[in-house]
Amino acid sequence: MFRLRPGTIKEITRCREELEEALVSVEGKEEKALNYPRLTGRLLPGDRVILNTTALHLGLGTGGRHFVFFNHRHSQVDMGDKGHIIKLRYTPYQLKVFSCEEEESPFNSCFHNYKGLENTPVLIGELHSMLIPAAAVIKYLCPHIRIGYVMTDGASLPLALSEGVNQLKKLGIIAGAVTSGHAFGGDLEAVNNYSALIAAREILKAQVIIITMGPGAVGTGTEYGFTGIEQGELINAVNILEGDPFLVLRVSFQDNRLRHRGISHHSLTVLEKIALTPATLCLPLVEEKKLNYLKSQLEERSISSRHQVAFREGTLVKEAMDYFHLKGNTMGRSFEEDRIFFETVGATARLVSEKILLEKSQG
């Protein structure tokens, strides 16, 4: 169930094509709300709206914002002509998209004629916060490379919620984004992760692909109850499509929960029990005590014997992010508060960049 309350739009504080932020009067208070124009139309001051207040009421991580559920001014909305694929199916918000696989799509032939990913490196991250540091390092080391991004439907479904994707596109760091499954709003829409990876390679012409879910990953403290479990399935998908999978380990020593100390149990479960095919992992070259702890975590579960483990310096990530004037945070922690998280992403991105540069030097 959701919690709905009536409100009135007081002021539009931020406006992008696919996302608006507003101040809204609700329950006798003035609070923030997000609006997706594609779902509920554009806002104007004075609009009477219905707000979904569920997450804020429960104290969940939506940045202290409600969501516009319905705008009384938009009682009739028409859809465009193209497309027959429905996302958010069988919900009040089901919407039509023009999927790149559809027969009428100008890209349809790509899915009949493709020759696989042809060993294209694919960085597979659990958290959306891995996207900015990974893309920044690769672009910093390989400025002429085309990076494609795929957002799965494991967390946030609207791509518009990601300020990071907006920044990376404006800076020309990523060539475009594909939204997969029920995720929507990308430069390209795809019905599943396999098609999305093909689209990134064949349509965006990506030479390296980064795939993560959107903001808002879910965990429950149980062995299999976390959305990041999709990483194992993505490793399998990349191998089936003849790509080169690099799993980005989730590493932190700042998380108070023991199950996330060092290498998160999410990454360990994915590598030990979900991934049926091998991937490359990379540990950052950090102080000896921490590095030995990370190594022991992999060895205890025999992960080192099933997957290829590399070691690289990850501190370059700060230099790369500063070069592009990008900021990073993860799980409410800044770069300085959780350096090893970002350095692990940076080390993996550095390893991928080395592969790209080596292949380029060999012609």
Side-chain angles (χ1 to χ4, degrees):
M1 296 292 291
F2 37 63
R3 184 178 188 269
L4 300 179
R5 292 294 186 273
T8 302
I9 301 300
K10 306 298 290 183
E11 179 186 355
I12 314 299
T13 56
R14 188 169 60 133
C15 184
R16 298 204 321 252
E17 182 179 357
E18 296 286 344
L19 181 69
E20 296 174 318
E21 187 169 335
L23 292 178
V24 58
S25 176
V26 55
E27 297 187 294
K29 296 179 288 186
E30 195 168 275
E31 296 183 326
K32 296 177 181 179
L34 289 180
N35 179 60
Y36 298 109
R38 189 170 180 180
L39 297 179
T40 47
R42 294 217 165 268
L43 296 176
L44 290 175
D47 280 351
R48 292 183 305 113
V49 297
I50 301 296
L51 298 166
N52 185 328
T53 65
T54 307
L56 197 57
H57 181 71
L58 292 174
L60 302 181
T62 62
R65 296 168 292 190
H66 300 302
F67 291 88
V68 175
F69 185 82
F70 178 76
N71 187 333
H72 289 280
R73 189 167 55 84
H74 298 299
S75 59
Q76 292 187 4
V77 179
D78 292 318
M79 56 187 179
D81 296 330
K82 294 182 178 180
H84 292 87
I85 299 298
I86 302 296
K87 296 198 174 188
L88 310 185
R89 291 185 286 278
Y90 300 102
T91 73
Y93 281 138
Q94 63 178 5
L95 73 155
K96 178 176 67 65
V97 300
F98 193 24
S99 174
C100 55
E101 305 102 320
E102 292 190 48
E103 288 185 15
E104 295 81 6
S105 168
F107 306 117
N108 175 264
S109 61
C110 294
F111 299 93
H112 296 289
N113 301 326
Y114 86 100
K115 299 177 181 178
L117 295 179
E118 298 181 305
N119 209 33
T120 300
V122 180
L123 278 80
I124 303 168
E126 177 187 358
L127 301 178
H128 194 69
S129 53
M130 294 171 170
L131 170 62
I132 283 180
V137 168
I138 294 171
K139 198 68 172 178
Y140 185 66
L141 293 175
C142 308
H144 301 298
I145 205 76
R146 285 183 66 84
I147 304 172
Y149 173 58
V150 174
M151 191 177 96
T152 73
D153 59 5
S156 162
L157 299 180
L159 181 80
L161 186 64
S162 172
E163 183 61 36
V165 171
N166 184 52
Q167 289 179 298
L168 293 174
K169 287 178 66 176
K170 280 186 176 179
L171 292 168
I173 295 175
I174 61 174
V178 187
T179 35
S180 171
H182 286 285
F184 64 92
D187 302 286
L188 297 169
E189 304 280 1
V191 300
N192 62 42
N193 293 327
Y194 289 83
S195 290
L197 289 166
I198 295 169
R201 176 77 173 101
E202 297 293 321
I203 303 172
L204 294 180
K205 304 299 181 185
Q207 295 158 287
V208 60
I209 301 168
I210 302 172
I211 182 167
T212 73
M213 64 185 71
V218 169
T220 65
T222 62
E223 185 174 16
Y224 298 109
F226 61 98
T227 49
I229 206 163
E230 70 172 21
Q231 282 187 291
E233 297 161 0
L234 291 172
I235 290 172
N236 299 335
V238 172
N239 278 314
I240 288 169
L241 294 174
E242 300 179 353
D244 190 4
F246 291 77
L247 183 125
V248 184
L249 294 167
R250 177 176 170 179
V251 176
S252 176
F253 286 94
Q254 299 302 314
D255 200 307
N256 293 326
R257 297 166 294 180
L258 184 60
R259 64 184 183 272
H260 291 302
R261 179 172 176 77
I263 302 173
S264 166
H265 80 102
H266 290 182
S267 295
L268 296 172
T269 298
V270 161
L271 292 166
E272 181 188 15
K273 298 186 176 181
I274 308 302
L276 303 177
T277 56
T280 299
L281 331 172
C282 191
L283 290 175
L285 292 171
V286 292
E287 60 186 82
E288 186 177 3
K289 184 177 180 181
K290 288 182 178 178
L291 184 58
N292 286 338
Y293 181 78
L294 300 177
K295 287 180 182 178
S296 69
Q297 287 183 288
L298 296 178
E299 291 165 1
E300 284 170 7
R301 299 204 183 198
S302 300
I303 290 171
S304 301
S305 62
R306 297 181 56 195
H307 303 277
Q308 182 176 343
V309 181
F311 302 87
R312 290 294 185 276
E313 185 70 52
T315 54
L316 179 72
V317 66
K318 182 69 165 61
E319 183 179 332
M321 291 173 67
D322 286 347
Y323 177 81
F324 292 112
H325 305 290
L326 292 167
K327 301 292 183 183
N329 66 82
T330 183
M331 308 300 290
R333 297 185 292 272
S334 68
F335 182 96
E336 294 301 332
E337 292 170 325
D338 205 351
R339 292 183 69 94
I340 197 168
F341 172 89
F342 293 94
E343 289 179 9
T344 303
V345 180
T348 310
R350 183 175 200 146
L351 181 64
V352 169
S353 300
E354 289 176 6
K355 174 188 174 177
I356 295 167
L357 293 171
L358 178 62
E359 290 178 351
K360 186 176 180 181
S361 68
Q362 293 175 342

